[in-house]
Amino acid sequence: MKIFWIIIIGCWIGLGACSEDDFSGYSSDNYIYFSKAAADSTIYSFAYDKTQTSAELKLKLNMVSGLEGRDRTFKVRFLADKSTAKEGTHFDLSGEGQVILANDSIGFLKLTVKKSDLGDNSVMAVFQLIESEDFKVGLRSNSIARVIISNQLNRPMWWNDWHETDGLGTYSREKYQAFMDEMKLYDLTQEKDGGVLTYSEVRVLILKFKRILERNPRPDNDGSIMTVAMRG
């Protein structure tokens, strides 16, 4: 009976090891992958600054590799058939080449995104890592990066449920645009979520915007008057 259970346990361990998308057992090779999974698109919108016509964008890459005292190259392929963006029109890849600097453990795919020919639309550019002389492709789920280049004002990640009930209130593009116009700011991400603002600073900004709306009421997208949920 003991032998039977040893066999069963061994089978479970073997199945678990095979099911993991893991490359830790290949320490003699160097691997690279995007820090974001393919499902987590990177969004860049020109709607935040109407004077801007182009911007530099960097997609972070992680490595499973020892440090080396030389620059190393990685390769990426633009998947035109899976993209609505056009190279040369909506973006350019960096002319510096795709390089991991000597003695560094992270790298960046550098793009110049462009406002030209966007109108009021959004386009998507899809990139795939491929094997190079220096690196194999690591995590399969992180081998593809999707970049959305937009001229639309989209609801930002920081405008979450908290804002709906205790912050800026119900989201609308009109309210977000009014907030940016008045406060000269488009990001209220707090320190605890990776931003630079404390809760107290966010509160001051929201209440300041609330007073502006009280003095100068504005219509929201549905015709009602814009309101701010925060009390104070």
Side-chain angles (χ1 to χ4, degrees):
M1 182 62 100
K2 181 185 285 187
I3 293 174
F4 172 79
W5 283 111
I6 290 173
I7 292 171
I8 293 295
I9 293 169
C11 288
W12 277 110
I13 293 172
L15 287 170
C18 292
S19 66
E20 291 180 1
D21 190 1
D22 192 347
F23 39 85
S24 59
Y26 301 92
S27 56
S28 60
D29 291 322
N30 300 318
Y31 291 87
I32 193 166
Y33 56 95
F34 289 108
S35 63
K36 272 188 176 184
D40 299 325
S41 300
T42 297
I43 302 173
Y44 189 89
S45 178
F46 286 99
Y48 299 133
D49 184 350
K50 296 184 183 300
T51 65
Q52 197 176 38
T53 57
S54 66
E56 300 302 314
L57 193 62
K58 297 195 297 184
L59 306 182
K60 186 179 178 183
L61 293 150
N62 293 335
M63 293 190 302
V64 176
S65 170
L67 300 182
E68 292 195 18
R70 64 180 180 89
D71 291 351
R72 289 178 286 177
T73 59
F74 64 92
K75 291 184 179 180
V76 68
R77 175 192 295 137
F78 170 55
L79 303 181
D81 60 328
K82 297 184 182 299
S83 305
T84 53
K86 296 178 182 178
E87 187 170 8
T89 300
H90 301 118
F91 75 91
D92 288 316
L93 287 168
S94 171
E96 301 173 6
Q98 313 307 334
V99 177
I100 304 291
L101 297 177
N103 297 312
D104 208 342
S105 60
I106 60 172
F108 296 94
L109 173 62
K110 299 177 182 178
L111 309 171
T112 300
V113 293
K114 302 177 179 181
K115 187 178 181 179
S116 61
D117 200 37
L118 275 179
D120 293 325
N121 301 312
S122 298
V123 295
M124 181 170 67
V126 183
F127 303 94
Q128 182 178 37
L129 287 167
I130 57 176
E131 189 170 328
S132 69
E133 293 181 1
D134 292 315
F135 294 102
K136 292 184 178 181
V137 180
L139 295 168
R140 288 194 297 272
S141 60
N142 293 53
S143 63
I144 287 177
R146 293 182 172 88
V147 178
I148 296 173
I149 308 165
S150 175
N151 202 23
Q152 297 177 339
L153 200 59
N154 299 313
R155 176 174 175 150
M157 294 285 290
W158 55 261
W159 200 310
N160 51 25
D161 293 341
W162 176 82
H163 277 283
E164 292 281 348
T165 56
D166 299 301
L168 285 167
T170 304
Y171 173 82
S172 71
R173 289 186 182 180
E174 288 77 6
K175 185 189 288 186
Y176 191 18
Q177 186 65 63
F179 177 81
M180 290 191 296
D181 291 344
E182 296 291 348
M183 309 308 296
K184 312 302 179 188
L185 185 71
Y186 63 84
D187 190 352
L188 287 184
T189 305
Q190 296 183 50
E191 284 180 336
K192 66 182 181 64
D193 299 318
V196 298
L197 298 172
T198 64
Y199 170 78
S200 296
E201 290 170 331
V202 170
R203 180 175 171 81
V204 167
L205 290 166
I206 292 174
L207 290 178
K208 185 176 181 180
F209 180 59
K210 182 176 184 176
R211 300 292 175 258
I212 291 172
L213 291 181
E214 288 172 348
R215 292 193 299 271
N216 301 287
R218 295 194 187 201
D220 213 330
N221 64 320
D222 60 357
S224 64
I225 300 301
M226 288 183 192
T227 60
V228 170
M230 181 173 282
R231 298 180 180 181

